[in-house]
Amino acid sequence: DAKTTQPTSMDCAEGRAANLPCNHSTISGNEYVYWYRQIHSQGPQYIIHGLKNNETNEMASLIITEDRKSSTLILPHATLRDTAVYYCIVRKNAGGTSYGKLTFGQGTILTVHP
Amino acid sequence: GAGVSQSPRYKVAKRGQDVALRCDPISGHVSLFWYQQALGQGPEFLTYFQNEAQLDKSGLPSDRFFAERPEGSVSTLKIQRTQQEDSAVYLCASSDYEKLFFGSGTQLSVL
């Protein structure tokens, strides 16, 4: 799976949008961009994923550049409960010879301040 | 519905003891993964099951680590003769092919 690069840490004020960048310049055509987050003492939690189109759900929005070499996760109105480690992962979905393993990097520590 | 359940939540073992960690996946999920997470690090892949078949055990750090899923549902990760370097959080995840759903993990401390 392609490697991703994320900033080590970021800060955000409560109520403001948090924009978390991710570089994945070696992504292949059949690889998806996934975002997970891990709140202290919990297991990773799925946020959103996409292939090449922008995606939005109740948690966040995902913006993928046209060349697919980078993406941005947007939390539109960050709250204190959004403080967590955010992982950007490139993954092949299960099927064929792939079983969809997630390979985690170091992630971005997002701290939301009051 | 119920998520992935792991037990025990915390386990303290003396060096040299054997431990068994249990994972109850989401009902109907064919795929099951085990990960190890050291303090301050991202989770590291250990092994993967498709139903009862262990298709990938490339991440198991030594032959002291053994995982099974005999009926294609509940899985157990066993660590024999525990060492201090085995201290970590052990995470289990089950998958519907599109997303992995993680449990809260078992925090293992080897003294």
Side-chain angles (χ1 to χ4, degrees):
Chain A
D1 290 340
K3 185 176 178 179
T4 62
T5 304
Q6 300 177 251
T8 302
S9 63
M10 294 183 65
D11 290 336
C12 179
E14 188 177 21
R16 304 297 295 268
N19 298 284
L20 289 84
C22 179
N23 287 320
H24 32 78
S25 59
T26 60
I27 191 170
S28 300
N30 62 348
E31 290 178 318
Y32 290 73
V33 180
Y34 275 76
W35 284 84
Y36 276 75
R37 72 180 182 184
Q38 189 171 24
I39 295 169
H40 183 62
S41 296
Q42 296 183 22
Q45 175 193 24
Y46 168 83
I47 302 173
I48 198 168
H49 75 285
L51 184 63
K52 53 184 178 181
N53 298 321
N54 298 339
E55 301 288 344
T56 295
N57 63 19
E58 65 279 4
M59 290 183 69
S61 294
L62 174 61
I63 309 298
I64 303 174
T65 58
E66 192 169 343
D67 63 8
R68 303 212 319 126
K69 293 184 177 182
S70 65
S71 61
T72 301
L73 178 74
I74 301 172
L75 307 178
H77 306 287
T79 71
L80 299 179
R81 290 178 297 177
D82 292 323
T83 293
V85 180
Y86 287 76
Y87 295 100
C88 170
I89 302 165
V90 172
R91 172 187 187 247
K92 295 175 186 174
N93 275 354
T97 57
S98 170
Y99 50 85
K101 179 175 72 175
L102 289 175
T103 301
F104 291 82
Q106 296 298 308
T108 296
I109 301 170
L110 175 68
T111 304
V112 181
H113 297 285
Chain B
V4 177
S5 178
Q6 293 189 246
S7 61
R9 185 74 176 88
Y10 302 95
K11 177 69 179 177
V12 178
K14 291 183 180 179
R15 191 172 53 183
Q17 280 186 329
D18 298 348
V19 298
L21 313 179
R22 177 187 169 103
C23 173
D24 284 84
I26 293 172
S27 178
H29 279 187
V30 168
S31 296
L32 186 145
F33 300 80
W34 282 98
Y35 284 79
Q36 179 190 58
Q37 186 170 23
L39 189 64
Q41 304 295 315
E44 295 274 349
F45 170 80
L46 291 177
T47 188
Y48 165 73
F49 288 87
Q50 188 175 91
N51 295 306
E52 70 278 2
Q54 189 175 18
L55 299 186
D56 187 343
K57 50 183 180 180
S58 62
L60 296 177
S62 77
D63 58 7
R64 297 185 295 104
F65 287 71
F66 173 76
E68 60 183 5
R69 194 185 184 199
E71 298 179 357
S73 178
V74 171
S75 179
T76 303
L77 177 67
K78 297 179 179 178
I79 308 173
Q80 297 176 322
R81 305 180 303 281
T82 53
Q83 304 295 316
Q84 282 189 317
E85 61 263 28
D86 300 335
S87 295
V89 175
Y90 291 86
L91 295 161
C92 175
S94 66
S95 173
D96 64 359
Y97 293 109
E98 189 175 64
K99 307 168 194 168
L100 269 66
F101 299 86
F102 285 82
S104 294
T106 294
Q107 184 171 326
L108 173 65
S109 299
V110 182
L111 306 178

